[in-house]
Amino acid sequence: MRKRPTINDVAAASGVSRGTVSRVLNGQGNVSLSAEMAVRRAVAETGYVVNRAARSLKTSRTGSIVMVLSEPQERLFEDPNFSVLMRVATNQLAERDMSLVLMIAGDDDGRERVARYLRGGHTDGALLVSAHAGDPLLEDIERAGVPAVACGAVLGRESVVPYAAADDRGGARAMTEYLVGQGRRRIGMITGPLDTPGGSLRLEGFTSVLGRKATKKMVVHGDYTQVGGEQAMRRLLEGVPDLDAVFVASDLMAAGALQVLHAAGRRVPEDVAVGGFDDSAIASATRPMLTTVRQPLAQVAEETVRLLTALLDEQAVEPIVLPTELIVRDSA
Amino acid sequence: MRKRPTINDVAAASGVSRGTVSRVLNGQGNVSLSAEMAVRRAVAETGYVVNRAARSLKTSRTGSIVMVLSEPQERLFEDPNFSVLMRVATNQLAERDMSLVLMIAGDDDGRERVARYLRGGHTDGALLVSAHAGDPLLEDIERAGVPAVACGAVLGRESVVPYAAADDRGGARAMTEYLVGQGRRRIGMITGPLDTPGGSLRLEGFTSVLGRKATKKMVVHGDYTQVGGEQAMRRLLEGVPDLDAVFVASDLMAAGALQVLHAAGRRVPEDVAVGGFDDSAIASATRPMLTTVRQPLAQVAEETVRLLTALLDEQAVEPIVLPTELIVRDSA
DNA sequence: TTGAAAGCGCTAACAA
DNA sequence: TTGTTAGCGCTTTCAA
C-alpha cells in the first residue's frame, strides 16, 4: 500500500502552496477561483483525506463527541432511548464530519477513564445518557470545561446541564387520567428508580392526578427490569388486593406485571387495567397488548444533538421538553 | 481554565528530559528507577494526560477502533447482539486505552463516510457488525488496509474476514430436533433474511434435521421484525393449515407469530408449538413464554474483540464459533 | 490573493 | 541510562 497523500502532495499536484490548499479545504475564502479548482482537482486525483491528528494538534479541536453512558450496564440494553439516540447522534454528527466515541461510566473505573478522557482534551463535547442525580461524573465534566448536554434531565442539575427530554410528567398524567376516566378507582403505580427522571417525574404526574388517593401503599418502586416489575406487582397485589388498575413506569416492567397478574388469576383489563410507558417493541408483544405512553424518542435524540452542536457553536441553549402520546391498546 | 500540561511541563517538573518522560509513559524500560519515580510523581502533580493527537501524528496509530454497523437502521434496535457487543467492546478496548468510535453504514452516504474514514487512517481497526454478503464496504476496508473482524460470519467472506459467532446452525438443529422429539410432524419455519448468517445458517440447521420434509411451502422468510413475523406466520398458516409446530429465527418474530396464532384460535403449545431464537428479553415477556435458543452473546462479543486485538498485535487468528443452548419454556 | 515559516506535543533515532 | 533533535501533517500569522 502506498503512503497516504498529505497536504504537500496536493500542493505539489495543484501548483499552489500548502497554505492555499488549507484555505480551500477549510472554506475560508480569499482564494482565487482558479486556485480553488486546481486544488479540488488535485484532491480528487490524489485521493487526499485530511489527517485529523495533525489538524487536531494544531487547532486543539478533535472533531469528536463522546457519548457517556452512566447507566449500570445491565440496564443499558433495556433503555429504549439509547439505541435511537445513538443512531441519530451518529448521523447528525457525521454530517458535520464529526465522529461519535462511546464510553461507559458504569463503575468507578469507567468513570475515572471518562474523566481522564475529558481532561485529556480528547473530545469537543459530551453527550450524557441517563446521568444520575449526584453523579460525580458531572463534576469531572465541569472541571474539564467540556461542553455537555444530556438526553433526559439530570435531576438536580436541570439548570446546569442543558437537556432534551420527553414530557414524563405529562405522559404519566395523561395515562393516569385515562385510567380514572375508564372508571378505575383503586389505581396503583410501579415506578422506576427515583433518582432517574423517568422514575420521579412519572410518579409526580401520577400523584398530581390522584392527589391524596396516591397513598404510600399504592406506590411501589421497580428498577426498570422485567423481574423487578414482577416483584413490584406481587408486592402491590399483596398490599392492595382490591387493586383495579396499575400504571407501570416502563413497558418492560409492565410485561413482568402482566405475567404476575395472569398467574394470580386476574384478568387484564377486566379485573385490573395495566398502563405502560415507552411504547417500546415489547408493548405489542405482550398479551394483552399494552396500552402505553409513546415517547418521541427520535425527536428527543435529535434535539439533544442539536443542543450540543449549538453549544459547540457557542450559542445559548435552553432545555427542551417534547410531548408524549397516549397509545390505547388492549391492556387498559 | 489553565492550559493543559504537556510533556515538557512534566519533564521540567521531574528534572529529566522529554525523552525520558516519554520512555516512562510508554513503558519502554531503559529508565532508572529514580527517574521513573520522579516522572510518575510529576505526572500526578501536574495532572498530565497525553495528547493523543500529537502521539498519533508521530506514531500514525490512533488508539481507536471503529465499530461499523451495516444494518439497515430500523433493524439495529432489534439486534440483541448489538448492545452487548458495544458494551463488551467499549470495556475491553478501554483496558488497552483505546476508544470505540461508532459509525453507521446503513445507506450509500454512510458507507462513503465510513470508507473515507478508513482511508483517512483515522482508526487502527474495524469491528464489523452484521455486514452483509456482498457489502461493498468490505472492499473499501480491504483497500484501506485496515485490520477488520466481524461479529457474526460475513457470508461468502468467511475465510477473509475473521469472525466470532454463535453456532447458528447447531442451535437451529437442536431446536428442530427438540420439536421432532416432542412428536411434532408438520414443522414450519420462519427464517431471517437469507443474506444474513442468522437467516441462512438457521435455515440450514432446520433442513439438515428435516431433510425432504422441509419443503418449500414449510419455509417462509421474515425480516427479523415483529410485524414481519406476523405476516410470515399468516402466510405459513395459509399454506400449511395443519401445521403443528413452527421454528422462528428470532424471538421478536416469534412474538409476532404468537399474536397471529392466538388470533387464529390456535393454542400454543397444544395445537402449534413455537420455538424462537436469541433468548432476548422479549422471550420471557410473551405468553406463553418462549422456548428458544440462547446465544452466548457476551462471549461472542468478547471473542470478537479478542480477535481484533490479536490482529492489531499482528498475531494470526482463526474464526471461532461458540455453542448455543436450548432454553425450554412454555411455547414448545 | 498568495507563499513562507513557525510550531502544536509527541516519539524515536542517534549520540553521548 | 540519558539528552538532544528531527520531524509527523496541519493551520495560521505575517509579509509580500
Side-chain angles (χ1 to χ4, degrees), chain A residues 12-325:
Chain A
S14 56
V16 302
S17 73
R18 285 216 306 275
T20 301
V21 175
S22 175
R23 279 182 281 263
V24 172
L25 258 32
N26 294 292
Q28 297 190 320
N30 286 11
V31 175
S32 69
L33 192 59
S34 64
E36 167 152 7
M37 288 195 336
V39 169
R40 296 223 177 279
R41 213 191 37 236
V43 166
E45 266 171 20
T46 55
Y48 171 77
V49 181
V50 68
N51 180 325
R52 288 197 190 197
R55 172 181 285 172
S56 172
L57 185 57
K58 188 68 191 177
T59 61
S60 69
R61 267 169 291 112
T62 65
S64 76
I65 287 297
V66 62
M67 181 158 157
V68 182
L69 310 173
S70 327
E71 200 95 47
Q73 307 196 349
E74 320 73 54
R75 205 185 293 162
L76 174 65
F77 322 116
E78 294 160 356
D79 187 338
N81 265 299
F82 170 64
S83 43
V84 183
L85 177 60
M86 214 180 43
R87 170 173 64 89
V88 170
T90 305
N91 285 335
Q92 304 231 123
L93 291 174
E95 274 171 27
R96 302 188 130 219
D97 231 330
M98 299 187 74
S99 55
L100 184 74
V101 171
L102 210 67
M103 300 196 86
I104 300 184
D107 51 19
D108 284 350
D109 268 16
R111 260 220 354 273
E112 173 50 28
R113 266 197 298 257
V114 173
R116 220 179 29 242
Y117 195 82
L118 296 170
R119 266 189 282 123
H122 298 326
T123 189
D124 295 343
L127 208 162
L128 274 39
V129 181
S130 58
H132 285 33
D135 194 326
L137 188 61
L138 294 169
E139 283 185 25
D140 294 328
I141 287 174
E142 219 162 320
R143 203 172 313 132
V146 173
V149 302
C151 184
V154 182
L155 295 175
R157 299 293 186 109
E158 288 86 348
S159 55
V160 184
V161 183
Y163 65 91
D167 185 4
D168 289 297
R169 203 185 275 108
R173 201 182 299 126
M175 174 63 83
T176 312
E177 280 165 354
Y178 172 77
L179 293 172
V180 170
Q182 295 290 96
R184 306 292 171 166
R185 288 297 166 258
R186 297 284 285 165
I187 309 177
M189 170 160 188
I190 298 176
T191 75
L194 296 186
D195 60 347
T196 65
S200 68
L201 298 178
R202 291 168 202 173
L203 174 57
E204 277 187 37
F206 178 76
T207 54
S208 76
V209 173
L210 294 186
R212 59 185 56 216
K213 277 185 174 169
T215 58
K216 200 148 191 180
K217 73 171 179 184
M218 303 301 285
V219 177
V220 299
H221 307 298
D223 59 359
Y224 285 137
T225 68
Q226 176 161 358
V227 170
E230 291 172 15
Q231 292 165 344
M233 190 68 238
R234 263 184 230 111
R235 258 178 295 141
L236 200 52
L237 275 181
E238 237 166 65
V240 194
D242 60 337
L243 194 82
D244 65 3
V246 56
F247 167 40
V248 190
S250 86
D251 287 345
L252 190 63
M253 288 198 293
L258 284 180
Q259 302 277 12
V260 169
L261 287 168
H262 180 64
R266 311 291 181 104
R267 291 167 307 162
V268 176
E270 294 84 348
D271 303 331
V272 180
V274 175
F277 207 104
D278 286 339
D279 194 31
S280 59
I282 218 169
S284 44
T286 57
R287 209 165 83 217
M289 292 195 274
L290 279 173
T291 289
T292 188
V293 177
R294 177 177 299 163
Q295 305 194 57
L297 293 185
Q299 272 184 66
V300 169
E302 271 163 33
E303 290 299 325
T304 306
V305 178
R306 204 183 48 70
L307 287 178
L308 185 55
T309 52
L311 218 52
L312 293 178
D313 295 341
E314 308 200 314
Q315 295 165 19
V317 300
E318 287 291 320
I320 177 164
V321 173
L322 295 157
T324 58
E325 183 189 357

Side-chain angles (χ1 to χ4, degrees), chain B residues 3 7 18 22 48 55 58:
Chain B
K3 218 173 140 329
I7 199 171
R18 287 218 306 278
S22 175
Y48 171 77
R55 172 182 285 173
K58 186 67 190 179

Side-chain angles (χ1 to χ4, degrees), chain B residues 130-318:
Chain B
S130 58
H132 285 34
D135 193 327
L137 188 61
L138 294 169
E139 282 185 28
D140 294 328
I141 288 174
E142 217 163 321
R143 204 172 313 133
V146 172
V149 302
C151 185
V154 182
L155 294 175
R157 298 293 187 111
E158 288 87 346
S159 55
V160 184
V161 184
Y163 64 92
D167 185 5
D168 289 297
R169 203 185 276 111
R173 202 182 299 129
M175 174 63 84
T176 313
E177 281 166 355
Y178 172 78
L179 293 173
V180 169
Q182 295 291 97
R184 305 292 171 167
R185 290 296 167 260
R186 297 284 285 165
I187 308 177
M189 171 163 188
I190 298 176
T191 75
L194 296 187
D195 60 347
T196 65
S200 69
L201 297 178
R202 290 169 203 173
L203 174 57
E204 278 185 36
F206 178 76
T207 55
S208 77
V209 172
L210 293 185
R212 59 187 54 219
K213 278 182 171 170
T215 57
K216 200 146 192 180
K217 72 172 179 184
M218 304 301 287
V219 177
V220 300
H221 307 297
D223 60 358
Y224 286 138
T225 68
Q226 177 162 358
V227 171
E230 291 171 14
Q231 292 165 344
M233 190 68 237
R234 264 183 230 110
R235 258 179 295 141
L236 200 52
L237 275 181
E238 237 167 65
V240 192
D242 60 337
L243 195 81
D244 65 3
V246 56
F247 167 41
V248 190
S250 86
D251 288 345
L252 191 62
M253 289 198 294
L258 284 180
Q259 302 276 13
V260 169
L261 286 168
H262 180 64
R266 311 292 180 103
R267 291 167 307 163
V268 176
E270 294 83 350
D271 303 331
V272 180
V274 175
F277 207 104
D278 287 340
D279 194 31
S280 58
I282 218 170
S284 43
T286 58
R287 212 166 79 216
M289 292 196 275
L290 278 174
T291 289
T292 188
V293 177
R294 177 178 299 163
Q295 304 193 57
L297 294 185
Q299 273 184 64
V300 169
E302 271 164 33
E303 289 298 324
T304 306
V305 178
R306 204 183 48 72
L307 288 178
L308 185 55
T309 53
L311 218 52
L312 294 178
D313 295 342
E314 309 201 312
Q315 295 165 18
V317 300
E318 287 292 320

